[in-house]
Amino acid sequence: MADAYEEIRTWDQFRLRQSIRNGDYTAHTAGLARGTLQTNVAIMSAEHALDFMRFCQRNPKPCPLVGVSDTGNPMMFTLGADIDIRRDIPAYNIYRNGILDAEQPDITDLWQDDFVAFALGCSFTFERALQAAAIPLWHIDNNTTVPMFRTNIETIAAGPFHGKTVVSLRMIDPSDVDRVVKISKNYPLAHGAPLHIGDPGQIGITDLSQPEWGDPVSIKGDKVPVFWACGVTPQVAIEAAKLPIFITHKPGHMLITDVHEQAEVPNHTTNPNQHGETS
Amino acid sequence: MADAYEEIRTWDQFRLRQSIRNGDYTAHTAGLARGTLQTNVAIMSAEHALDFMRFCQRNPKPCPLVGVSDTGNPMMFTLGADIDIRRDIPAYNIYRNGILDAEQPDITDLWQDDFVAFALGCSFTFERALQAAAIPLWHIDNNTTVPMFRTNIETIAAGPFHGKTVVSLRMIDPSDVDRVVKISKNYPLAHGAPLHIGDPGQIGITDLSQPEWGDPVSIKGDKVPVFWACGVTPQVAIEAAKLPIFITHKPGHMLITDVHEQAEVPNHTTNPNQHGETS
């Protein structure tokens, strides 16, 4: 299995998505198709889509919108030449009235003519940049899921979408904090700069050893807790809205796009290095 | 008059917006309320709002969305504590079926329960940053309007919204080009890095001396033409959509917000210097 995973890590996004579409690859996507933007996904009726876009616009750090489908069209044509949002994610969660109802490897049978699919940037992008800068990330080095916490920071509501901001935690060496801020700020489509640095109590977190999602970290020495806005925030807001049906990716099982992860604009037809990368 | 303008330049955004709301200040807003984000504005029925938001999401360089109202609510509450989009712009253009029909200083009489107002970042923001870096901008130094051109670059359509990308031109000293790219790239909510540098013919512009909007520049010496995506692009796309009614600011007569012009997130309740500005 480890060998198979090593081989899959060498696949490009086209080969990987084909394998996902065929139903062969059904696991998480961390570390795969390096260099391409991976995204969270939320699918809902057009009736709620304007409010959800407002929610994303108003809360861009937890909800960096990188793509939206036309109503009823499952092809995410701005993110790739051949991305079918009904089939190209390794696993889907189906919610009914705000409650997780089922998990499926394909949602072709559930697709509706009034569905709109949203793709939101995720932390994989800035984590890769931090790793490239030799910043240790405990959860990756220890093969666990990043710890996530509900804060006391209200999102700005839009229609039925509302709730507290969820953050992810990374423990950073004090000497690296400035660099971590500077690097992650370069990725506004992947949560950008940290939302909070230091005292967890200031944002309503009482116990760092008890994350609400993900795994606790066990770190020795003098590290600083650094919190980033997290893609679980829109998930919680959609659950709170109790839509009759909405569909997301299964956590960690992301949409893999054709967009370069350093692209200034999340559009696969734009060459990210043509302009704006000269210095 | 010059004296009066000098005094108005010292006003903060609250005093200036009050004067606009009262109908006293009706002129352009260039150089006013320094330090705050100014925006383009488009107002249309909710029926078209989802497609227009898609258009902005798909074309973020010409259409950097920084605020959107709730349906029927004229208060742009994410951009300021007391911004009434019906009264707080110096002059409005009213379009019917895609044709400019009237100019008004106030649109309270035209407001509809199904209207949605959009605020889009504008070039004033990055121009100020360029000036602060001692980059000369000919149109500002000569008190003219920046020259704008229709390119051959198609926007990504959404519903009825489509058209070519419009760019603004600034002639830059070759030794400053790298710096100009780097500085403007820091303002993704104000068109970001240039769309094109150098040969105008490559983007379908045949004669730099004949801009379609604004005034031609007259520059001696060896300068490089640098083109930025321009806020006239959504204007052209909305005209092409031939909506029964849509309303915009009169060009140059912008919405002045309470958002700091260097804010990472366009939200007046967020302190832009709290995080992410430590380095």
Side-chain angles (χ1 to χ4, degrees):
Chain A
M1 181 57 200
D3 284 353
Y5 185 68
E6 281 311 307
E7 198 219 311
I8 290 167
R9 281 165 66 103
T10 67
W11 291 359
D12 67 14
Q13 73 269 31
F14 305 109
R15 183 162 179 197
L16 181 59
R17 271 208 314 269
Q18 191 62 53
S19 178
I20 292 168
R21 187 179 290 189
N22 294 344
D24 295 329
Y25 188 82
T26 57
H28 75 76
T29 56
L32 301 184
R34 283 186 176 258
T36 61
L37 189 69
Q38 296 199 23
T39 80
N40 296 294
V41 170
I43 300 170
M44 65 189 71
S45 292
E47 175 187 359
H48 304 290
L50 178 59
D51 276 328
F52 187 66
M53 276 194 95
R54 283 187 179 110
F55 185 79
C56 294
Q57 192 279 321
R58 292 174 185 175
N59 303 283
K61 285 175 78 84
C63 315
L65 190 57
V66 299
V68 52
S69 76
D70 282 341
T71 301
N73 181 356
M75 304 310 291
M76 303 292 284
F77 56 86
T78 62
L79 297 176
D82 179 33
I83 297 182
D84 182 340
I85 203 67
R86 301 168 301 183
R87 303 188 283 162
D88 290 353
I89 292 177
Y92 298 80
N93 280 343
I94 294 90
Y95 286 76
R96 296 182 191 276
N97 303 310
I99 314 259
L100 180 60
D101 183 58
E103 183 189 321
Q104 295 187 190
D106 183 305
I107 56 158
T108 306
D109 59 323
L110 295 175
W111 186 259
Q112 299 178 186
D113 282 349
D114 71 339
F115 269 179
V116 179
F118 296 92
L120 308 174
C122 82
S123 59
F124 287 178
T125 304
F126 78 78
E127 286 187 336
R128 204 169 289 181
L130 294 180
Q131 288 182 292
I135 311 270
L137 296 174
W138 193 91
H139 67 286
I140 293 178
D141 296 340
N142 291 275
N143 201 25
T144 63
T145 300
V146 73
M148 292 164 270
F149 302 85
R150 203 181 299 252
T151 68
N152 59 9
I153 304 169
E154 279 292 341
T155 57
I156 304 177
F161 303 104
H162 68 280
K164 305 291 188 190
T165 303
V166 176
V167 292
S168 58
L169 164 67
R170 290 162 192 82
M171 300 297 288
I172 304 293
D173 194 88
S175 67
D176 284 334
V177 169
D178 280 0
R179 213 152 52 97
V180 160
V181 170
K182 196 171 177 181
I183 292 169
S184 59
K185 197 182 175 197
N186 286 331
Y187 297 90
L189 299 180
H191 306 309
L195 210 60
H196 184 73
I197 298 167
D199 182 13
Q202 270 192 27
I203 56 171
I205 299 172
T206 50
D207 187 350
L208 283 190
S209 72
Q210 301 204 335
E212 195 163 340
W213 300 268
D215 303 310
V217 297
S218 164
I219 289 191
K220 292 175 189 128
D222 179 34
K223 304 281 184 188
V224 179
V226 179
F227 300 93
W228 276 266
C230 173
V232 171
T233 310
Q235 172 87 18
V236 167
I238 305 175
E239 287 177 41
K242 298 191 168 55
L243 308 188
I245 183 167
F246 82 89
I247 300 171
T248 68
H249 64 293
K250 182 177 170 185
H253 299 58
M254 303 299 192
L255 173 66
I256 292 167
T257 72
D258 293 350
V259 176
H260 191 286
E261 66 177 358
Q262 295 201 305
E264 188 188 12
V265 166
N267 179 342
H268 78 106
T269 61
T270 305
N271 177 348
N273 294 315
Q274 190 181 358
H275 310 294
E277 303 284 338
T278 63
S279 54
Chain B
M1 182 57 201
D3 284 352
Y5 185 68
E6 281 310 307
E7 198 220 307
I8 289 166
R9 282 165 65 105
T10 67
W11 291 359
D12 67 15
Q13 74 269 31
F14 305 108
R15 183 161 178 199
L16 181 58
R17 271 208 313 270
Q18 191 61 53
S19 178
I20 292 168
R21 187 179 289 190
N22 293 344
D24 294 329
Y25 188 82
T26 57
H28 75 77
T29 56
L32 301 184
R34 282 185 176 261
T36 61
L37 189 69
Q38 296 198 23
T39 79
N40 296 294
V41 170
I43 301 169
M44 65 189 70
S45 293
E47 176 187 359
H48 304 290
L50 178 59
D51 277 328
F52 187 67
M53 277 194 94
R54 284 188 178 108
F55 185 78
C56 294
Q57 192 279 320
R58 292 173 185 177
N59 302 282
K61 286 175 77 83
C63 314
L65 192 55
V66 298
V68 54
S69 77
D70 281 341
T71 301
N73 181 356
M75 304 311 292
M76 303 293 284
F77 57 84
T78 62
L79 298 176
D82 179 33
I83 297 181
D84 182 341
I85 202 67
R86 301 169 302 182
R87 301 187 286 162
D88 291 351
I89 292 176
Y92 298 81
N93 280 343
I94 293 91
Y95 287 76
R96 295 182 191 278
N97 303 309
I99 313 260
L100 180 61
D101 183 58
E103 183 188 320
Q104 294 186 191
D106 183 305
I107 56 157
T108 307
D109 60 322
L110 295 176
W111 186 258
Q112 299 178 189
D113 282 350
D114 72 339
F115 269 179
V116 179
F118 297 92
L120 308 174
C122 81
S123 58
F124 287 177
T125 304
F126 78 78
E127 285 186 337
R128 205 169 288 182
L130 294 179
Q131 288 182 293
I135 310 272
L137 296 174
W138 193 91
H139 67 285
I140 292 177
D141 296 339
N142 291 273
N143 200 25
T144 63
T145 301
V146 72
M148 291 164 270
F149 302 85
R150 204 182 298 253
T151 68
N152 60 9
I153 305 168
E154 279 292 343
T155 57
I156 304 177
F161 303 102
H162 68 281
K164 305 291 188 191
T165 303
V166 176
V167 292
S168 58
L169 164 67
R170 290 161 193 82
M171 300 297 288
I172 304 293
D173 194 88
S175 67
D176 285 334
V177 169
D178 279 0
R179 212 153 51 96
V180 159
V181 169
K182 195 171 177 181
I183 292 170
S184 59
K185 196 182 176 195
N186 286 331
Y187 297 91
L189 298 180
H191 306 309
L195 209 61
H196 185 72
I197 297 167
D199 181 13
Q202 271 193 27
I203 56 172
I205 298 172
T206 50
D207 186 350
L208 283 191
S209 71
Q210 300 205 333
E212 195 164 340
W213 299 269
D215 303 308
V217 296
S218 164
I219 289 191
K220 293 174 189 128
D222 178 33
K223 304 282 182 187
V224 179
V226 179
F227 300 93
W228 276 266
C230 173
V232 171
T233 309
Q235 171 87 16
V236 167
I238 305 175
E239 288 177 40
K242 296 192 171 57
L243 308 187
I245 183 168
F246 82 89
I247 300 171
T248 69
H249 65 294
K250 183 178 170 184
H253 300 59
M254 303 301 194
L255 173 66
I256 291 167
T257 73
D258 294 348
V259 176
H260 191 287
E261 66 177 358
Q262 295 200 307
E264 188 188 12
V265 166
N267 180 341
H268 78 104
T269 61
T270 306
N271 177 349
N273 295 314
Q274 190 181 358
H275 310 293
E277 304 283 339
T278 62
S279 54

